[in-house]
Amino acid sequence: MELYRLTIHEMRSLLDSGEVTAEAVTRSIFERIRRLEPEVAAYITLLHESAMEQARYWDQRGYQDREAVLAGIPLAVKDVICTKGVRTTCGSRILADFIPPFDSTVAEKLKRAGCILLGKTNMDEFAMGSSNENSAFTSTRNPWSLDHIPGGSSGGSAAAVSADECIAAMGSDTGGSIRQPASHCGVVGLKPTYGRVSRYGLVAFASSFDQIGPITKDVTDAAILLNVIAGYDRRDSTSVPAKRPDYTQSLVEGLQGITVGIPRQYFVEGMDLEVDRSAREAIRILEHLGAKAVDVSLPHTEYGVAAYYIIAPCEASSNLARYDGVKYGYRSRDGKTLMEMYRKSRSQGFGPEVKRRIMLGTYALSAGYYDAYYKKASQVRTLIREDFLEVFKQCQVLVTPVAPTPAFALGEKVDDPLQMYLSDVFTLPASLAGIPGLAVPCGCSSYGLPIGLQILAPHFEEGLALRVGYNLEKNTDVHHRHPPLD
Amino acid sequence: MKITLEEVEYVADLARLEVSSEEKEQLTHQMNRILLYMEKLNELDTTDVVPTSHAIDLRNAFREDVVRESLHRVDSLENAPESNDEEFVVPRII
């Protein structure tokens, strides 16, 4: 058996019945990592020794504790999520040596559930990017075609899951950073409702959007991980005090009685024909399974990119003001005065895309421009949010492509920031509205690159998206395919 | 032209960034392209639309004003580029 191929739920039952040990699975994953990492480059930091130690600990302790749902399961965590005592770089030179003195709430919950931490995955610097080319350390490759991008910003996590360099992973999504790389790498990714998962210890990019979520080999695993990480946290004042359902229960129901909205603004002329075809084929399967498909309209969709790429840089420019070379992070030795030290530390520590967004945000918030940009974009955000609230009166979920094209080639858009931003067109509106979104594989391009379907649900209805995704997965064979790495 | 080279210089100063003359030109070009695209938002009349700063209906999150355990001083200084074991050390200010 290829142990590295296991999902969480498969490994759980094999561990519980004593058919495999965590040590054997973890060792098989590290062998895989050693073989593939020179090409895939999914990780920034690997924790070989401590992971093997944790595996032996769980094997010895046994798997009777029902509360420890992830006991002995090796996971990867995106390098934007603080892990106590383990370097957390955010893909940035400015945090290259940062060792968090505390655990994020999500890391704490994962540990309490018993997971083994394999390492920290690569990402676009401060989660700003759609290709992983903005990492200060390395460019992760798409396991399906090594000269293509894995997507971003959680590209390391998505590539690690797709290449079986972990059992599952954690990512974060601000404008599509879980859904888009999951789609490009042919795996499952879930962005929860804003406020569903605590952001405590998630390094801030754009605070009114950022959410942590799972990237997994199948929908069942996404439900299992959401169960572990969701819930109110007093340390995050924007986390929502709502009761967490058992998301795995969402998977038992079929699609009878479900109405699926097909927003016409997501199926437009000029989009990639194979993406269009795959999404439509998935809709046909959902209909065949008993769902009713209806044509709906989200009239402000086309304003999502502009609104997001004003608001998110504004929030980023404010959040990233904390990197001043004083309390933590990189300090330039060239500055003689305090002001010079600030300037040089920030200029040498941040990469070009981060600087660009800080500049855009600072400009949009500066005297005289605030109303024209930030306020205007926030008003358009209201219109986009209302579009969704309105449309969810006609249907329970929405189904769209995740991205207008399959993964693009490395270097293709790196010199053209606007083109890069426009590739997020289908994921941004849900981020602006704060609703949950699930990416599931639904097809493959003739070149061999995966294509993903996005399932959007109303606030706090992750269960509905998972239910639709699970039924689709059970009735297609795309998620059984593996990238051509062997 | 949405933003001039001089404005880019001014914004960089506000953002505490040092930009080379080459970066300045590139940023001016790129920001102009991006800001021109943002013009799109003006197609929409938003006169009476209330701006959204938070996508979920949440009231202020208040808590009791009680002292709780927090990070210890030695742990908070651990990542400092320069400290004297008690405080963060910065270049001389006065």
Side-chain angles (χ1 to χ4, degrees):
Chain A
M1 190 175 9
E2 293 156 324
L3 294 176
Y4 49 78
R5 289 248 198 265
L6 293 172
T7 62
I8 295 176
H9 58 97
E10 289 165 352
M11 187 174 172
R12 175 81 281 132
S13 58
L14 292 173
L15 281 174
D16 292 355
S17 64
E19 283 164 82
V20 301
T21 61
E23 190 181 1
V25 178
T26 309
R27 191 183 307 116
S28 123
I29 291 172
F30 274 109
E31 275 164 21
R32 180 117 176 128
I33 286 172
R34 204 187 43 210
R35 198 161 66 75
L36 297 181
E37 269 301 271
E39 289 182 321
V40 177
Y43 286 92
I44 290 177
T45 303
L46 283 165
L47 302 165
H48 187 222
E49 228 166 276
S50 63
M52 291 309 295
E53 206 173 289
Q54 288 164 47
R56 284 189 287 269
Y57 165 83
W58 279 109
D59 284 338
Q60 207 158 41
R61 179 166 156 178
Y63 298 103
Q64 289 77 38
D65 183 356
R66 293 288 112 198
E67 293 294 294
V69 292
L70 299 177
I73 311 265
L75 303 183
V77 171
K78 185 180 181 183
D79 215 15
V80 67
I81 298 169
C82 283
T83 41
K84 187 174 181 176
V86 174
R87 188 169 80 123
T88 300
T89 69
C90 248
S92 181
R93 186 169 179 225
I94 217 160
L95 288 176
D97 301 313
F98 177 60
I99 298 177
F102 65 95
D103 262 326
S104 55
T105 297
V106 163
E108 201 177 85
K109 286 184 168 192
L110 290 172
K111 281 182 189 173
R112 211 180 300 138
C115 95
I116 295 169
L117 182 59
L118 293 166
K120 306 293 294 286
T121 54
N122 193 30
M123 54 184 285
D124 288 295
E125 185 177 6
F126 284 101
M128 298 177 192
S130 315
S131 71
N132 256 43
E133 292 164 300
N134 296 334
S135 165
F137 300 99
T138 181
S139 283
T140 301
R141 310 301 178 94
N142 191 314
W144 293 86
S145 163
L146 295 169
D147 52 12
H148 283 75
I149 56 109
S153 66
S154 311
S157 287
V161 173
S162 161
D164 293 302
E165 292 186 42
C166 60
I167 299 297
M170 282 294 152
S172 71
D173 192 312
T174 302
S177 281
I178 287 175
R179 292 161 283 160
Q180 184 253 24
S183 172
H184 285 346
C185 291
V187 294
V188 172
L190 174 67
K191 178 198 98 75
T193 308
Y194 181 80
R196 182 77 277 193
V197 176
S198 169
R199 291 185 296 112
Y200 178 76
L202 168 68
V203 180
F205 156 19
S207 306
S208 80
F209 299 91
D210 299 341
Q211 268 295 286
I212 298 174
I215 296 180
T216 56
K217 294 177 188 174
D218 67 13
V219 175
T220 305
D221 279 5
I224 292 171
L225 285 181
L226 186 60
N227 272 353
V228 173
I229 62 171
Y232 173 71
D233 177 16
R234 67 170 175 79
R235 294 178 296 187
D236 172 6
S237 61
T238 60
S239 82
V240 173
K243 214 176 136 36
R244 171 188 69 73
D246 176 359
Y247 292 104
T248 58
Q249 286 306 307
S250 318
L251 309 181
V252 296
E253 290 172 89
L255 295 183
Q256 289 297 336
I258 291 267
T259 306
V260 177
I262 317 298
R264 65 186 78 121
Q265 289 82 359
Y266 287 69
F267 293 85
V268 286
E269 234 173 280
M271 71 187 274
D272 185 278
L273 288 176
E274 292 180 311
V275 169
D276 185 88
R277 198 184 313 138
S278 298
R280 288 183 196 278
E281 176 57 25
I283 294 162
R284 262 194 296 280
I285 295 172
L286 296 178
E287 283 183 286
H288 178 74
L289 294 171
K292 189 180 156 208
V294 294
D295 170 60
V296 297
S297 176
L298 294 160
H300 299 97
T301 301
E302 62 174 302
Y303 301 98
V305 175
Y308 175 87
Y309 276 101
I310 290 171
I311 301 170
C314 285
E315 294 186 15
S317 72
S318 163
N319 271 327
L320 272 59
R322 74 189 65 181
Y323 299 99
D324 58 1
V326 175
K327 300 174 290 302
Y328 49 85
Y330 172 79
R331 174 187 291 189
S332 166
R333 299 287 151 200
D334 308 335
K336 285 181 189 56
T337 65
L338 185 67
M339 192 58 91
E340 244 179 67
M341 188 279 280
Y342 288 160
R343 285 213 178 91
K344 291 194 185 297
S345 299
R346 290 166 63 77
S347 305
Q348 294 164 17
F350 292 135
E353 179 60 26
V354 172
K355 284 185 199 167
R356 195 149 47 229
R357 297 213 197 172
I358 291 175
M359 290 289 292
L360 272 171
T362 307
Y363 174 74
L365 289 174
S366 65
Y369 295 105
Y370 178 87
D371 279 3
Y373 290 106
Y374 184 74
K375 188 178 169 202
K376 182 80 187 181
S378 302
Q379 288 172 312
V380 174
R381 186 178 190 180
T382 303
L383 299 176
I384 289 173
R385 184 175 179 271
E386 284 170 354
D387 276 359
F388 281 109
L389 298 183
E390 198 53 44
V391 99
F392 282 130
K393 291 176 184 163
Q394 304 160 48
C395 59
Q396 282 132 308
V397 295
L398 293 162
V399 164
T400 80
V402 177
T405 64
F408 42 91
L410 281 163
E412 189 180 323
K413 299 188 180 179
V414 79
D415 295 323
D416 192 344
L418 185 57
Q419 279 309 313
M420 192 76 97
Y421 300 170
L422 289 167
S423 69
D424 300 340
V425 59
F426 293 158
T427 50
L428 295 174
S431 298
L432 287 157
I435 59 171
L438 176 73
V440 286
C442 72
C444 187
S445 75
S446 47
Y447 189 77
L449 291 164
I451 294 169
L453 189 75
Q454 177 173 240
I455 304 165
L456 301 173
H459 293 125
F460 302 105
E461 296 291 352
E462 286 84 353
L464 270 174
L466 289 164
R467 177 175 159 193
V468 174
Y470 179 73
N471 279 283
L472 179 70
E473 178 183 270
K474 267 203 319 192
N475 291 282
T476 53
D477 52 8
V478 278
H479 84 288
H480 293 302
R481 298 171 59 251
H482 298 291
L485 292 163
D486 301 290
Chain B
M1 194 79 161
K2 301 289 296 177
I3 185 169
T4 63
L5 196 83
E6 289 68 39
E7 282 176 303
V8 166
E9 245 164 46
Y10 169 69
V11 173
D13 185 57
L14 288 178
R16 304 286 182 260
L17 289 172
E18 227 174 48
V19 282
S20 67
S21 50
E22 197 189 323
E23 274 178 301
K24 231 178 285 173
E25 276 184 33
Q26 204 189 16
L27 274 168
T28 310
H29 168 72
Q30 289 171 337
M31 286 175 74
N32 265 307
R33 271 200 72 203
I34 295 165
L35 292 170
L36 209 61
Y37 176 79
M38 302 310 184
E39 285 283 292
K40 199 173 167 49
L41 295 181
N42 296 326
E43 293 168 11
L44 294 170
D45 179 7
T46 52
T47 318
D48 292 320
V49 179
V50 181
T52 294
S53 57
H54 194 86
I56 306 296
D57 289 322
L58 258 191
R59 302 275 158 250
N60 272 340
F62 291 115
R63 62 167 173 80
E64 291 306 309
D65 187 16
V66 286
V67 178
R68 286 210 180 93
E69 180 100 0
S70 61
L71 212 52
H72 292 286
R73 180 160 66 184
V74 16
D75 295 327
S76 16
L77 290 170
E78 198 76 8
N79 278 288
E82 199 180 338
S83 71
N84 62 12
D85 295 332
E86 284 188 4
E87 296 135 328
F88 298 107
V89 174
V90 295
R92 198 177 180 85
I93 298 171
I94 38 172

